[in-house]
Amino acid sequence: MKTQSVIEPSFPQTVLEPIDLARVAILLDVDGTIVDMAATPQSVVVPPSLLRTLATLQVRTSGALALVSGRLVENLDRLFAPLVLPCVGGHGVELRASAYAPLHRKAIELSPSMKSQVVDAAAVDPRIIVEDKGSSLAVHYRLAPAQALLMKNKIGAIVARAPDEKLEMLCGKAVIEIKPRAFTKGTAVRELMRMPPFADRTPVFVGDDITDESVFATLPALGGIGYSVELFMAGASGMFGSPGEVRDWLALLDADE
């Protein structure tokens, strides 16, 4: 049975490393990486073909396939139902190593004052959506792109006025994330890679924006490989042109047996 596949991504003069599913852990960001961006977080659609591909790859990697997302795990479970996958959720505040493992959540919450200030700042335009994840906030302005600079300036000022809260502002694709610096996707991936069935495997990560930088930064210490989507990112070995290309690559891995 073959266990290696190669596909050429869009990034010039780059070829993806061969993948041996018995030896790797596949780690996937969600929005903008394996599913197409949508007008709102709730309107994102997971293609049925992707569900089938992930289900097969979960089996062929002996469970070493995980979603690494800013979405909370309960949101991921709804989005990918009926699949229940290992997850890093909420930018690293949540971790579940398998479908049968308990969900671990760090006891960190944003202050009510911080949440109130961000909600007030976003009230400038009713099309701006503030998503409260408890430990973080996501301000979505995809429906109001003209407000991007204003929102970045307003939220940047709010965060700067609260140094004791030790927060960071991450500007993704038409979204601004406000979260404590105490956790990141990268720290959660390091923790995940110490747990079975991920331990002793080579992580292969795919991500698409600044919220994934902490994972790319931690890959060298884990002996891992990273690929970006739509733009080249520091630490990435190559780049896919779109989420559709990532889905095609995953389907190729699934079909190569």
Side-chain angles (χ1 to χ4, degrees), residues 137-168:
L137 291 174
V139 180
H140 302 272
Y141 57 85
R142 186 169 295 275
L143 296 175
Q147 305 291 357
L149 181 59
L150 176 63
M151 292 310 303
K152 289 176 184 178
N153 288 339
K154 280 191 168 190
I155 294 173
I158 292 170
V159 171
R161 290 196 299 267
D164 291 345
E165 295 199 36
K166 299 179 180 178
L167 304 176
E168 63 179 345

Side-chain angles (χ1 to χ4, degrees), residues 160-253:
R161 290 196 299 267
D164 291 345
E165 295 199 36
K166 299 179 180 178
L167 304 176
E168 63 179 345
M169 182 179 84
L170 303 176
C171 297
K173 294 178 178 176
V175 63
I176 302 168
E177 303 272 358
I178 306 99
K179 58 173 283 296
R181 295 195 299 267
F183 60 85
T184 67
K185 287 183 178 180
T187 56
V189 164
R190 285 199 297 270
E191 186 176 353
L192 180 69
M193 291 304 301
R194 293 193 292 266
M195 302 176 176
F198 297 89
D200 301 320
R201 287 175 174 257
T202 298
V204 178
F205 174 69
V206 188
D208 76 307
D209 66 16
I210 192 172
T211 67
D212 300 310
E213 285 183 341
S214 63
V215 183
F216 285 113
T218 201
L219 288 175
L222 299 172
I225 306 163
Y227 301 101
S228 60
V229 183
E230 293 184 342
L231 74 163
F232 184 72
M233 299 181 66
S237 298
M239 183 184 76
F240 292 98
S242 67
E245 284 192 8
V246 181
R247 294 193 294 269
D248 289 344
W249 171 66
L250 293 170
L252 180 63
L253 295 181

Side-chain angles (χ1 to χ4, degrees), residues 1 25 54-55 86 88 100-101 104 108 113 117 125 145 148 158 161 170 200 203 207 236 255:
M1 179 177 69
L54 294 177
V88 168
Y100 309 103
H104 297 283
I108 301 174
S113 172
Q117 291 180 72
D125 192 315
I158 292 170
R161 290 196 299 267
L170 303 176
D200 301 320

Side-chain angles (χ1 to χ4, degrees), residues 81-123:
L83 283 182
V84 180
L85 298 169
C87 293
V88 168
H91 296 290
V93 76
E94 295 181 330
L95 176 61
R96 184 176 67 200
S98 77
Y100 309 103
L103 176 65
H104 297 283
R105 180 181 174 88
K106 299 184 186 301
I108 301 174
E109 298 290 324
L110 287 186
S111 70
S113 172
M114 177 58 58
K115 292 181 180 182
S116 176
Q117 291 180 72
V118 172
V119 169
D120 288 347

